[in-house]
Structures are given as structure tokens and as C-alpha cells.
Amino acid sequence: MQGRLSAWLVKHGIIHRSLGFDYQGIETLQIKPEDWQSIAVILYVYGYNYLRSQCAYDVAPGGQLASVYHLTRIEYGVDQPEEVCIKVFALRSNPRIPSVFWVWKSVDFQERESYDMLGISYDNHPRLKRILMPESWIGWPLRKDYIAPNFYEIQDAH
């Protein structure tokens, strides 16, 4: 089933894939990484002026990684703002997605956390570096194939 935003994107020749609606009735769209930055600008101009959240997850061991953006269209006098969920999938071997920091500044720490935990590189992010783990940390702790270092072996080495 195609939602209102998906129909508008189709009408304007913007390539995407509709993933239907979540349990709250929020439309979910899949955007290719190479199209994400320009579509983000289009969505902002269309009225999605608030980035409610960004997160990421590992789809399956050895599979793709997903970066998820929850956008809201805030307008004066509207009690129920329109929302959309955008999913951008990246290859595990080289997970690169354009940063949308220059569209929604609030994504700064959220993209950094997704980088820190899953290793997704957000191209053109102004400060992409670890935010939770020390810079010397090896690996991406929230990947399903991550093997945590043995804490006791690390302590014994010192």
C-alpha cells in the first residue's frame, strides 16, 4: 500500500521503495544511499523540518546495516503532525551513507553513535568519531557478528 508521501515522490519521479506502514500507521520508505542526501533536501523543502531521531541496526549476521531516520512535518496549527520513517541500507563490507547533518543539525550525535556502535561511515559528517567507546576501541559492538574482547585478557596484558 502506497502512502501519501510515496505517491508524491512517485509523481515527482523520485526513486524510492515503499515499505508500507508501521504499527502506528507511519509510512516507511527505503532510499538508496547514493540518493539519500538529495532526497533529504527534498523532504526538508517539502516540510519535514524536524528530525525526531536517527538510529541504526544490524539487519542480520553478515547482512546489511540499516540507518533509520524518523522525520516530522511540523506546521503551525496542526495537532497531528505528519511523520515518515526513512530506512537507508548499506553494505556491511563498506557501510557508507551520506550524512544529513547539513539538512538537520540534530542528527550530529545520533550519526556518531551509529558510527561508533555499527561502523557506518556518514560521508561529509563534520565530526565523525567515536562518541561512546574510546578511540582505540577495535570493532563495532552492536554488530551481530561482533566478538567482544575478553576483559580479563586485556587486564592481564597490562
Side-chain angles (χ1 to χ4, degrees):
M1 174 178 229
Q2 189 179 58
R4 191 169 127 180
L5 179 59
S6 183
W8 186 87
L9 292 171
V10 167
K11 178 181 173 186
H12 291 87
I14 299 167
I15 298 170
H16 69 287
R17 180 176 170 219
S18 176
L19 299 177
F21 298 86
D22 71 6
Y23 71 98
Q24 293 178 312
I26 296 171
E27 186 174 10
T28 303
L29 305 176
Q30 179 182 343
I31 306 295
K32 291 180 182 178
E34 59 269 22
D35 298 333
W36 175 222
Q37 194 164 28
S38 59
I39 290 177
V41 171
I42 291 166
L43 292 175
Y44 185 86
V45 171
Y46 183 70
Y48 288 94
N49 52 5
Y50 179 65
L51 182 126
R52 189 163 41 100
S53 68
Q54 184 276 334
C55 63
Y57 66 94
D58 189 343
V59 176
Q64 294 183 320
L65 303 174
S67 188
V68 182
Y69 300 81
H70 295 272
L71 307 174
T72 304
R73 189 175 179 177
I74 297 180
E75 297 176 88
Y76 179 76
V78 175
D79 291 337
Q80 242 356 64
E82 192 177 321
E83 297 180 38
V84 68
C85 175
I86 304 293
K87 292 187 178 188
V88 183
F89 294 94
L91 297 175
R92 177 182 226 83
S93 58
N94 186 21
R96 302 191 76 80
I97 295 173
S99 174
V100 291
F101 173 84
W102 303 106
V103 180
W104 299 284
K105 299 279 191 279
S106 60
V107 81
D108 184 9
F109 289 174
Q110 297 170 57
E111 284 183 343
R112 284 182 58 195
E113 183 178 345
S114 296
Y115 164 73
D116 194 7
M117 296 288 105
L118 291 152
I120 299 172
S121 290
Y122 292 91
D123 296 335
N124 296 317
H125 188 287
R127 293 176 291 279
L128 192 64
K129 62 181 184 173
R130 290 200 182 265
I131 191 168
L132 300 172
M133 306 302 287
E135 283 293 328
S136 60
W137 195 266
I138 297 171
W140 316 107
L142 290 184
R143 285 195 183 187
K144 292 181 178 177
D145 54 1
Y146 177 72
I147 299 171
N150 185 326
F151 177 76
Y152 298 105
E153 288 177 11
I154 294 170
Q155 293 300 312
D156 292 343
H158 296 293

